[in-house]
Amino acid sequence: MAQRRPTLPPALTRGHDHHQCVHDALVEAERLCAGRDVRLTELRKRVLELIWASHAPVGAYAIMDLLRGEGRNAMPPTVYRALDFLLEQRLIHRIASLNAYIGCTHPGDRHAMQYLICKTCGTVAEIDNPAIDEAIAVTTGGLGFAPDSQTLEVSGICRDCRDAAR
Amino acid sequence: MAQRRPTLPPALTRGHDHHQCVHDALVEAERLCAGRDVRLTELRKRVLELIWASHAPVGAYAIMDLLRGEGRNAMPPTVYRALDFLLEQRLIHRIASLNAYIGCTHPGDRHAMQYLICKTCGTVAEIDNPAIDEAIAVTTGGLGFAPDSQTLEVSGICRDCRDAAR
DNA sequence: CACATATTTGTTATATTATAACACTGTTGA
DNA sequence: TCAACAGTGTTATAATATAACAAATATGTG
């Protein structure tokens, strides 16, 4: 098994082409859904795009307002059903401590959720450190606990905000 | 600095004296609050006791119902304020993925939240594995991210429930 | 003790997040 | 063509949490 290197979180990658980044995420989503034989409908795709467009976690009701802003008469179930689909397909994640949703940066491979949440600017960075997973596996294994999903949400202040504060 | 050994979570310790365990938690809470010069009032103490008595995470509205059951006319703010106090004093933790609260098993020392949540029986085990903290510290340090709080919530099936299923 | 102050609790109202239930529409395949 | 199913619309409501202000209780000081 190839060792994964910790990925540099997009939100911490200054000056990236955000438009391109959203586009790539949509293309990848199309590809994955086609391969899984599930339908990335217009609505689902639009919700995914709105989530990616912010690059920060978005609440369900914020998404609803955005949809309404474009003339669609969106009610909560409409949004939540789209979110449920995207969550199931692991194209987005839910950040429980924020009641908000964010695009998954590597939706192809099943993986644990690991997030750094900046309290100051609100950006969230998805990290991917195998060492964390291993440490968790040691503990769960020792206790006979069979994990099937997890979320790690670290709240703090990102480098940019710390630099700006000085 | 002394190396902490992973603690055996109370919920996974079969046959423990639960009454004693609740009592100990309350005594420890009294001690900590006295030392910190904050007031563990009757209401706050009762809420803490109700949370400990369940040994599984309890929702705010469940606590409200319990208080009402004993004649107290509890409204949401009453409960949430008590919860806020207990959270601030780190006598309880909030499990974001469940919108529920649970007693902290070692409230004396500031520590990261690490929980194993059994989907079958609903019990939650607080774990304390320094290796997880270290792995997280490596990543946050490398990214210049200054963490100040975190939650790790692992959902799965505990040993007892797996054994019972066979 | 008496009083001023601050803390805690009560009360009313409302915000925020999420789901249930059922009707309608569109897509797919026989 | 039409039966079956998946997806979306619509109405209502559940579950979780907070704002704002009033009343009660505790604490420190003269």
Side-chain angles (χ1 to χ4, degrees):
Chain A
M1 170 182 146
Q3 169 79 355
R4 284 173 297 167
R5 294 183 48 239
T7 52
L8 188 59
L12 298 185
T13 311
R14 273 153 290 202
H16 76 286
D17 183 340
H18 192 44
H19 182 272
Q20 181 63 40
C21 145
V22 173
H23 179 259
D24 291 351
L26 289 176
V27 168
E28 175 69 357
E30 297 267 27
R31 196 182 67 76
L32 288 169
C33 287
R36 292 168 188 168
D37 221 28
V38 294
R39 289 166 54 201
L40 186 65
T41 61
E42 272 312 302
L43 173 65
R44 291 166 174 173
K45 192 169 161 183
R46 186 72 190 120
V47 170
L48 180 60
E49 188 171 11
L50 289 170
I51 291 171
W52 267 101
S54 94
H55 242 186
V58 200
Y61 279 70
I63 294 168
M64 198 175 75
D65 290 345
L66 290 169
L67 288 173
R68 284 177 166 169
E70 28 190 78
R72 208 188 274 258
N73 182 25
M75 300 299 278
T78 299
V79 175
Y80 279 102
R81 279 189 294 231
L83 290 172
D84 286 345
F85 172 85
L86 297 170
L87 286 168
E88 261 169 33
Q89 298 302 320
R90 297 185 298 282
L91 298 171
I92 63 171
H93 291 301
R94 179 171 189 273
I95 300 186
S97 60
L98 299 176
N99 294 328
Y101 305 83
I102 192 166
C104 176
T105 53
H106 46 304
D109 51 301
R110 193 175 236 104
H111 61 92
M113 289 178 51
Q114 301 175 355
Y115 284 108
L116 306 184
I117 304 167
C118 179
K119 289 188 305 182
T120 303
C121 63
T123 62
V124 168
E126 180 169 1
I127 59 175
D128 178 19
N129 182 353
I132 298 174
D133 294 337
E134 279 156 31
I136 293 169
V138 167
T139 299
T140 56
L143 294 171
F145 185 94
D148 64 23
S149 73
Q150 73 182 52
T151 183
L152 169 64
E153 298 168 25
V154 183
S155 177
I157 300 179
C158 72
R159 171 177 281 155
D160 284 3
C161 287
R162 275 207 299 168
D163 289 351
R166 278 194 243 119
Chain B
M1 169 183 147
Q3 170 78 354
R4 284 173 296 166
R5 293 183 48 238
T7 52
L8 188 60
L12 298 184
T13 312
R14 275 152 288 201
H16 76 284
D17 182 341
H18 192 44
H19 181 271
Q20 182 63 40
C21 146
V22 174
H23 179 259
D24 290 351
L26 290 176
V27 168
E28 176 69 356
E30 297 267 27
R31 197 183 65 78
L32 287 169
C33 287
R36 293 168 186 168
D37 220 27
V38 294
R39 290 165 55 200
L40 186 65
T41 61
E42 272 313 302
L43 173 65
R44 292 165 175 173
K45 192 169 161 183
R46 186 72 189 121
V47 170
L48 180 60
E49 188 171 11
L50 289 171
I51 291 171
W52 266 101
S54 94
H55 243 187
V58 201
Y61 280 70
I63 294 168
M64 199 174 74
D65 290 344
L66 291 169
L67 288 173
R68 284 177 167 169
E70 30 190 77
R72 207 189 274 257
N73 181 25
M75 299 301 277
T78 299
V79 175
Y80 280 102
R81 279 189 294 232
L83 291 172
D84 286 346
F85 171 86
L86 297 171
L87 286 168
E88 260 169 33
Q89 298 303 320
R90 297 185 298 282
L91 299 171
I92 63 171
H93 291 301
R94 179 172 190 272
I95 300 186
S97 60
L98 299 177
N99 293 328
Y101 305 83
I102 192 167
C104 175
T105 53
H106 45 303
D109 52 302
R110 192 176 236 103
H111 61 92
M113 289 178 52
Q114 302 175 354
Y115 284 108
L116 306 183
I117 305 167
C118 179
K119 289 188 305 183
T120 303
C121 64
T123 61
V124 168
E126 180 169 3
I127 59 175
D128 178 20
N129 182 352
I132 298 173
D133 294 337
E134 279 156 28
I136 294 168
V138 167
T139 298
T140 56
L143 294 171
F145 185 94
D148 65 24
S149 74
Q150 72 183 52
T151 182
L152 168 64
E153 298 168 25
V154 184
S155 176
I157 299 180
C158 72
R159 170 177 282 156
D160 285 3
C161 287
R162 276 207 299 166
D163 290 350
R166 279 194 243 119

